[in-house]
Amino acid sequence: MTLSISPDDIRKQLISTESKSPVSEAEMQQAVRTLLIGLGEDPDREGLLDTPKRVVKALKYLTSGYNQSLDELLNGAVFHEDASEMVLVRDIDLFSSCEHHILPIIGRAHVAYIPNGKVIGLSKIARICEMYARRLQVQERLTAQIADAIQGLLKPQGVAVVIEATHMCMVMRGVQKPGSWTVTSSMQGVFADDAKTRQEFMDLIRHRPSFH
């Protein structure tokens, strides 16, 4: 399977950490005040005095992935290695925000690749997941972004990503279905083409480790 976006395209879509927001923090805080008033609250009462500041700070943290780049994140942690067996990092905790309601998405990612002369520091796989999760997201796009990033960086024989998550927009509002989970996957290279390799990956992420 061909890569849908190149490494250069991946980097171009990232916002520089030095870029300036066209909206000031004071304007963002004023927007939160307006929302509070619209909800029937008094933003000047004691309990809400600092709420606009706290909300803006929290949202900036929860979307901090916009201000990260793969180059900065990797910091050179790609190494030449004569390895050809599956590398799997599973049960990576994910916290993201639904772009439709800005409500939490909580779940886990399982990421595997089969090297083709290069490997990546294991912690960087979790950091890649976190970088893309810390943006306003839909789960389908998040899954593909993680897979495309690893494919573009390493050019491995294949990449597999599975994300299992619960969406608070389904739990707290709307259909209100607590306990429901959404599973998405992105399979590239040998994981897409070879059923045996794909099944090995699926079997490995199904196993629950005893040290948890």
Side-chain angles (χ1 to χ4, degrees):
M1 181 178 292
T2 57
L3 177 65
S4 59
I5 54 176
S6 69
D8 286 340
D9 290 333
I10 293 170
R11 292 185 178 94
K12 286 176 184 176
Q13 74 176 346
L14 299 172
I15 299 174
S16 168
T17 55
E18 298 177 356
S19 63
K20 299 295 183 181
S21 170
V23 178
S24 71
E25 191 157 316
E27 289 173 311
M28 294 174 72
Q29 291 179 22
Q30 183 57 50
V32 177
R33 281 181 57 87
T34 301
L35 285 171
L36 290 171
I37 293 169
L39 294 171
E41 266 291 359
D42 174 12
D44 292 318
R45 71 175 175 84
E46 183 181 12
L48 294 176
L49 278 176
D50 290 327
T51 294
K53 183 189 301 183
R54 293 190 186 103
V55 169
V56 170
K57 183 178 180 181
L59 285 174
K60 283 188 169 184
Y61 174 75
L62 293 172
T63 59
S64 57
Y66 287 121
N67 296 319
Q68 294 179 298
S69 73
L70 286 173
D71 285 339
E72 293 170 330
L73 184 150
L74 290 174
N75 195 27
V78 174
F79 311 101
H80 292 280
E81 188 68 39
D82 184 21
S84 59
E85 297 297 327
M86 187 188 305
V87 178
L88 167 64
V89 181
R90 46 161 294 170
D91 295 326
I92 301 169
D93 287 330
L94 279 185
F95 303 95
S96 191
S97 301
C98 161
E99 69 178 28
H100 301 132
H101 306 96
I102 317 186
L103 288 172
I105 300 171
I106 302 169
R108 286 181 171 179
H110 313 291
V111 181
Y113 70 96
I114 297 180
N116 190 23
K118 289 192 291 187
V119 298
I120 189 173
L122 295 177
S123 68
K124 302 302 183 183
I125 294 176
R127 291 189 182 278
I128 289 171
C129 294
E130 184 176 80
M131 182 185 78
Y132 286 111
R134 296 293 188 190
R135 302 178 182 190
L136 300 182
Q137 281 288 9
V138 295
Q139 186 174 326
E140 297 89 339
R141 182 172 65 235
L142 173 59
T143 308
Q145 285 177 331
I146 295 168
D148 284 346
I150 294 173
Q151 180 70 36
L153 290 165
L154 299 180
K155 297 293 190 297
Q157 299 178 55
V159 177
V161 178
V162 167
I163 294 178
E164 305 163 305
T166 185
H167 295 241
M168 291 300 106
C169 59
M170 286 184 62
V171 174
M172 299 171 63
R173 57 163 299 284
V175 295
Q176 299 183 53
K177 296 299 180 185
S180 63
W181 285 77
T182 300
V183 181
T184 51
S185 67
S186 178
M187 305 287 173
Q188 301 188 14
V190 295
F191 287 100
D193 301 334
D194 181 41
K196 184 177 179 180
T197 302
R198 184 168 60 253
Q199 189 59 51
E200 179 185 357
F201 167 70
M202 298 303 291
D203 288 343
L204 286 170
I205 66 173
R206 190 175 295 117
H207 168 69
R208 293 299 171 192
S210 59
F211 49 81
H212 272 204

